Amino acid sequence: MRHFLSLYDFTKEEILEIIELGAKIKKEAKLKNYIPYLQHQSLGMLFEKSSTRTRISFEVGIHQLGGQGLFLSSNDLQLGRGEPMKDSARVISRMVDMVMIRTFSQKILDEFAEFSKVPVINGLTDKYHPIQLLADYLTMKEYGKDKNPVVAYVGDGNNMTHSWMMLAAKLGFELRVATPKGYEPLQEIVDDAKELCKLSGGVVKYYNHPKEAVKDCDVVTTDTWVSMGQEEEKEERIKAFDGYIIDKAMMSLAKDDAIFLHCLPAYRDYEVSEEILEKYADIVFDEAENRLHAQKGLMVWLDEQRKKSG
Ligand code: CP
Ligand code: NVA
């Protein structure tokens, strides 16, 4: 049985297969042809952090696939009163067919998966946000940016950065990561990406000057400077990220036909200017919608794998 905890565990072919399946299901859904690939199945959606896109896309997604989603907030579960994660995993996974978790450390997610009887999906941890990258790559494909792209990620070395690094290292494209000093990605992920790039032909480059990273690239992307759980660091982070905003001047350094992506929520006039977000709104909100389609592909794919493994 396969889980979806990190892109590290997936081959290039598998990642592309999941995204293709998402694209196919998207086409069907656009014709209002909702095929019940997961009829009568239940998806447990366990949240220890806030969410708009992840919650709605999974809940609507499983419904469109013929199943039902259960929104499980840790505040309302016995988990929030101290029931161990491994016990919660053993209970929840006996009653549902798949679980999505948004939590803090990757260790919590790994522990849940270890004790789960059903596939577990990473709905964001402090380390990775891999489902977002399925939607981001689907969007790149739709906008013709999937052929040897050069992608610049500008901002905090966080769960989104780590996920972009894994995607580039697995699929074999060039990623330039620009972060202020002290906000670089985790060294273990830098090392993993380096090893994976040797196999894929990808390259991940690191910068402390965003303008160098953005120069002549095909895709520019960023994320909030203050991730969930870092609210107390807000003031110092805003100072540290001075010069990292994606504004008209920064975007003009990329190729003329470059696109801008943002996983959202966006904090206007911090990591991205109002002007740039609105200029690329069609793409950014397609990206948000693609969460729904890509994750339907993922859920169907995981179910197929489970059936194959008996
Ligand atoms: N991009 C993303 O995961 O959004 P939510 O936090 O709203 O789920
Ligand atoms: N890096 C952000 C992503 C939100 C979707 C966070 O973890 O809060």
Side-chain angles (χ1 to χ4, degrees), residues 5-173:
L5 307 179
S6 149
L7 294 174
Y8 184 86
D9 308 326
F10 284 74
T11 63
K12 171 178 181 171
E13 290 68 31
E14 287 170 338
I15 294 167
L16 295 177
E17 203 178 297
I18 293 167
I19 293 168
E20 276 309 312
L21 190 52
K24 175 177 153 293
I25 296 173
K26 177 175 182 175
K27 268 194 207 136
E28 293 162 358
K30 290 287 173 193
L31 300 169
K32 299 283 177 230
N33 181 17
Y34 296 116
I35 300 174
Y37 293 99
L38 302 182
Q39 194 165 25
H40 302 312
Q41 295 206 22
S42 298
L43 172 74
M45 307 185 306
L46 178 45
F47 285 90
E48 296 206 271
K49 290 178 176 173
S50 307
S51 169
T52 298
R53 280 142 289 268
T54 304
R55 175 175 177 182
I56 298 171
S57 54
F58 271 111
E59 199 161 333
V60 171
I62 186 73
H63 173 72
Q64 291 180 353
L65 293 171
Q68 64 154 178
L70 286 91
F71 173 69
L72 308 167
S73 161
S74 57
N75 294 331
D76 304 327
L77 298 174
Q78 296 290 5
L79 181 68
R81 298 181 67 244
E83 186 168 16
M85 192 53 104
K86 62 182 180 182
D87 290 358
S88 304
R90 283 179 283 194
V91 173
I92 295 169
S93 71
R94 279 168 183 254
M95 299 188 192
V96 302
D97 303 281
M98 213 173 275
V99 176
M100 184 244 73
I101 308 182
R102 169 166 287 196
T103 186
F104 291 88
S105 83
Q106 189 82 10
K107 274 204 185 108
I108 299 176
L109 177 76
D110 290 343
E111 188 186 10
F112 193 102
E114 187 190 334
F115 286 91
S116 174
K117 280 174 141 12
V118 298
V120 176
I121 297 171
N122 181 350
L124 181 146
T125 62
D126 292 343
K127 191 171 178 184
Y128 288 122
H129 193 9
I131 44 171
Q132 180 68 50
L133 272 289
L134 299 178
D136 291 3
Y137 198 72
L138 175 56
T139 312
M140 283 169 62
K141 266 177 80 86
E142 290 174 346
Y143 283 90
K145 300 295 177 197
D146 58 327
K147 304 278 177 284
N148 299 318
V150 177
V151 179
Y153 175 96
V154 174
D156 186 24
N158 63 13
N159 45 11
M160 278 302 299
T161 328
H162 299 151
S163 304
W164 272 109
M165 288 161 68
M166 279 300 121
L167 189 77
K170 285 284 179 174
L171 299 192
F173 61 82

Side-chain angles (χ1 to χ4, degrees), residues 26 53 139 143 260-266 268 277-278 280-291 293:
K26 177 175 182 175
R53 280 142 289 268
T139 312
Y143 283 90
F260 172 74
L261 296 177
H262 194 310
C263 66
L264 303 176
R268 285 169 165 81
L277 192 70
E278 291 303 333
Y280 293 93
D282 286 349
I283 305 175
V284 169
F285 292 101
D286 277 353
E287 179 189 2
E289 180 190 323
N290 278 336
R291 294 288 308 274
H293 309 298

